[in-house]
């Protein structure tokens, strides 16, 4: 299970979310069989989606992060629930690029630097809220930071990291989101900036055995603060046969009838998890009748 915490300074100036998302990203790699660079990209997006989901108030609320860049991996999607559970999908999981000039996995290379990050907040009813921001670096953390600054006018620092083994398994993954709350004092802002600039990369801290609580302590050094919440989160898909039936019905009567004619069984694979749903031509015909 991944570990997610939130903490706030006693004066109410700053809030932070910190996650050790190693298990989430490891599961995503197993499901999607991603190349190392795509594991890093999808893993960072899932890590952000878990923290951003956990910020939501309503039980039915969810957040979709859609990253549509011009890189060879195509578009990325991560869905965060208000529980902090996440699921994700990438168009071309196998794309691999050489390490970048800094010797790191080339996340910006597989994502692309031209395109948009779409953030869709779904409240479980009514119209979802959609915000978008141009991709600034393709490294994802900067793109999330930019989204908060421009779309939500919330000064934010986001850091995300994924470390991948040479055998493609995930060593560790994690991230933090720090936000200034309305009315934050100049003194608090200065101290936070200093703490953020001092902190080591998140994967390095995880390799040293640091926990989310330890990292919150580093981010809030010289502050008094409270841990608001500690929870475990996981890669979780909530697909079901009923949901797949609804998707099939939306295809329309004529196309469903044709599918029933042409193939004895129709297979529908979930985008987010390894589940495959099979429908006999008889069942597809019944759905076609229901689609009228
Ligand atoms: Zn599924």
């Amino acid at each position: 299970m991944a570990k997610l915490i939130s903490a706030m300074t006693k004066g109410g100036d700053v809030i932070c979310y910190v996650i050790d998302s190693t298990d989430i990203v490891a599961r995503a790699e197993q499901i999607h069989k991603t190349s190392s660079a795509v594991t890093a990209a999808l893993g960072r997006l899932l890590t952000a989606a878990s923290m951003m989901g956990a910020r939501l108030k309503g039980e039915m609320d969810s957040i979709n992060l859609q990253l549509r860049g011009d890189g060879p991996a195509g578009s990325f999607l991560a869905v965060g629930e208000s529980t902090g559970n996440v699921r994700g999908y990438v168009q071309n999981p196998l794309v691999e690029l050489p390490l970048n000039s800094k010797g790191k996995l080339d996340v910006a290379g597989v994502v692309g630097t031209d395109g948009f990050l779409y953030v869709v907040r779904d409240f479980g009813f009514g119209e979802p809220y959609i915000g978008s921001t141009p991709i600034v670096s393709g490294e994802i953390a900067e793109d999330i930071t930019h989204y908060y600054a421009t779309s939500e006018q919330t000064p934010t620092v986001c850091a995300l990291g994924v470390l991948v083994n040479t055998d493609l398994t995930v060593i560790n993954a994690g991230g933090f989101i720090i936000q200034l709350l309305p009315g934050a004092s100049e003194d608090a802002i200065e101290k936070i900036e200093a703490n953020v600039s001092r902190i080591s990369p998140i994967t390095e801290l995880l390799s040293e055995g640091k926990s989310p609580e330890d990292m919150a302590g580093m981010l809030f050094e010289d502050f008094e603060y409270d841990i608001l919440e500690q929870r475990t989160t996981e890669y979780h898909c909530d697909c079901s046969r009923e949901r797949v039936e609804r998707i099939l019905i939306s295809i329309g009567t004529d196309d469903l009838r044709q599918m029933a004619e042409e193939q004895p069984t129709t297979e529908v694979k979930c985008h987010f998890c390894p589940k495959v749903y099979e429908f006999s031509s008889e069942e597809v015909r019944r759905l076609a009748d229901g689609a009228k």
Side-chain angles (χ1 to χ4, degrees), residues 237-240 270-275 277:
C237 183
D238 61 353
C239 67
S240 66
C270 180
H271 272 341
F272 298 105
C273 77
K275 276 197 201 122
Y277 296 89

Side-chain angles (χ1 to χ4, degrees), residues 16-277:
C16 79
Y17 299 82
V18 188
I19 186 171
D20 174 347
S21 58
T22 306
D23 287 358
I24 288 173
V25 181
R27 183 73 187 124
E29 189 275 324
Q30 286 165 3
I31 292 171
H32 298 288
K33 316 257 186 304
T34 37
S35 69
S36 52
V38 177
T39 300
L42 182 62
R44 288 185 195 177
L45 199 65
L46 286 165
T47 300
S50 180
M51 292 187 283
M52 291 168 80
R55 289 176 73 244
L56 300 169
K57 299 280 181 293
E59 215 174 290
M60 300 297 287
D61 294 359
S62 64
I63 194 157
N64 280 21
L65 302 181
Q66 297 171 22
L67 195 56
R68 291 193 213 150
D70 61 346
S75 58
F76 290 77
L77 170 64
V79 184
E81 307 285 346
S82 61
T83 54
N85 288 345
V86 284
R87 58 188 184 275
Y89 169 77
V90 55
Q91 218 172 352
N92 304 313
L94 304 179
V95 171
E96 190 63 287
L97 291 177
L99 298 179
N100 66 18
S101 57
K102 292 177 187 154
K104 298 268 167 65
L105 294 172
D106 195 355
V107 171
V110 294
V111 169
T113 49
D114 197 18
F116 281 86
L117 169 69
Y118 297 90
V119 178
V120 183
R121 273 192 290 172
D122 191 331
F123 303 103
F125 61 89
E127 283 293 301
Y129 164 84
I130 303 175
S132 72
T133 176
I135 291 173
V136 286
S137 76
E139 294 285 340
I140 302 174
E142 289 93 329
D143 302 302
I144 302 278
T145 299
H146 187 66
Y147 162 78
Y148 276 117
T150 56
S151 283
E152 299 197 10
Q153 283 86 45
T154 309
T156 301
V157 179
C158 175
L160 304 165
V162 174
L163 197 60
V164 181
N165 254 319
T166 44
D167 67 0
L168 301 186
T169 55
V170 173
I171 300 172
N172 62 43
F176 65 77
I177 288 177
I178 285 199
Q179 296 189 309
L180 296 180
L181 296 170
S185 71
E186 282 302 318
D187 181 46
I189 295 171
E190 264 175 39
K191 276 204 281 188
I192 280 293
E193 280 174 352
N195 289 353
V196 166
S197 67
R198 252 201 317 266
I199 200 165
S200 306
I202 206 114
T203 51
E204 226 171 276
L205 295 171
L206 289 166
S207 294
E208 290 166 9
K210 298 280 191 292
S211 68
E213 288 83 356
D214 296 333
M215 293 187 257
M218 294 170 167
L219 292 167
F220 282 166
E221 201 181 319
D222 287 334
F223 284 94
E224 282 189 63
Y225 64 94
D226 295 308
I227 301 278
L228 303 178
E229 204 180 10
Q230 293 166 292
R231 57 171 117 179
T232 54
T233 71
E234 61 180 346
Y235 189 104
H236 174 78
C237 183
D238 61 353
C239 67
S240 66
R241 196 171 176 86
E242 290 73 40
R243 188 173 287 193
V244 174
E245 282 180 3
R246 284 204 296 279
I247 293 166
L248 281 173
I249 287 169
S250 72
I251 293 172
T253 309
D254 292 346
D255 286 348
L256 284 175
R257 286 237 168 87
Q258 199 180 341
M259 275 161 66
E261 288 296 315
E262 285 170 0
Q263 50 207 33
T265 54
T266 295
E267 272 195 0
V268 182
K269 275 182 79 173
C270 180
H271 272 341
F272 298 105
C273 77
K275 276 197 201 122
V276 180
Y277 296 89

